[in-house]
Amino acid sequence: MMALRYFAIVALGFLGSCTVPADTSPVVEEDRTVKASRTIMVGMSEADVRMCAGFPTMGVKIADNEKIWTYQRIYARGTINFGASTLAMGPTPGLTGGTGLGTPGFCYTQIRFLDGKVSQVEFAGDNNTATRVNGLCVSTVDRCVVYAKNRK
């Protein structure tokens, strides 16, 4: 009985240590690649951005010389899944079931163009990870940061 109680305390402590706060921005830094994209991508043409990031998920024209492209990425984050099953006995079929905890993360990378050139890069969404602010946004801009460095 004592061993079971000890195991339960250790298991609860382990699960509690895996909990990530909803907003990690006060305790972790912004991802370096995301941070660099805000400056290094400024001045890139629309064609350059399509070459490194692909075609945008959506876009909006603000004025004749201004538009915003949005790249949306959805990511599965670590989830906890519970499952249970029973053995089939005689004519009774076996039963199975399960449930999962956790939500996907998502990033909207928004790129503003003024006169056909990038003037601003920003990020929105539930995009922080346990170790980096805007960590889920890296995959949209990482190739653009390399592309921009190589073009200079």
Side-chain angles (χ1 to χ4, degrees):
M1 182 69 169
M2 187 61 136
L4 183 59
R5 180 174 286 158
Y6 177 74
F7 175 76
I9 291 170
V10 170
L12 287 174
F14 175 74
L15 288 175
S17 70
C18 295
T19 303
V20 177
D23 181 16
T24 58
S25 59
V27 293
V28 297
E29 295 180 8
E30 183 170 48
D31 182 85
R32 289 181 305 167
T33 303
V34 169
K35 190 173 187 175
S37 72
R38 286 194 172 96
T39 54
I40 199 165
M41 287 179 64
V42 171
M44 291 177 71
S45 70
E46 292 178 20
D48 287 338
V49 173
R50 278 194 297 271
M51 289 298 294
C52 62
F55 289 90
T57 308
M58 60 188 109
V60 62
K61 186 175 181 179
I62 305 297
D64 286 339
N65 66 337
E66 184 179 14
K67 63 179 81 168
I68 297 174
W69 287 358
T70 301
Y71 291 85
Q72 179 183 3
R73 303 283 195 262
I74 300 172
Y75 300 92
R77 287 202 257 216
T79 59
I80 300 171
N81 292 305
F82 300 97
S85 62
T86 61
L87 295 174
M89 300 192 72
T92 307
L95 302 173
T96 61
T99 186
L101 302 174
T103 58
F106 61 93
C107 176
Y108 293 112
T109 301
Q110 298 163 150
I111 303 173
R112 180 187 305 264
F113 293 91
L114 191 57
D115 295 323
K117 303 284 184 184
V118 174
S119 64
Q120 184 180 7
V121 180
E122 270 308 324
F123 306 92
D126 183 7
N127 53 22
N128 294 346
T129 66
T131 58
R132 294 288 175 241
V133 171
N134 294 325
L136 296 181
C137 301
V138 173
S139 68
T140 305
V141 295
D142 59 350
R143 291 302 311 148
C144 289
V145 168
V146 171
Y147 188 88
K149 285 180 181 178
N150 290 338
R151 304 262 305 166
K152 290 186 177 188

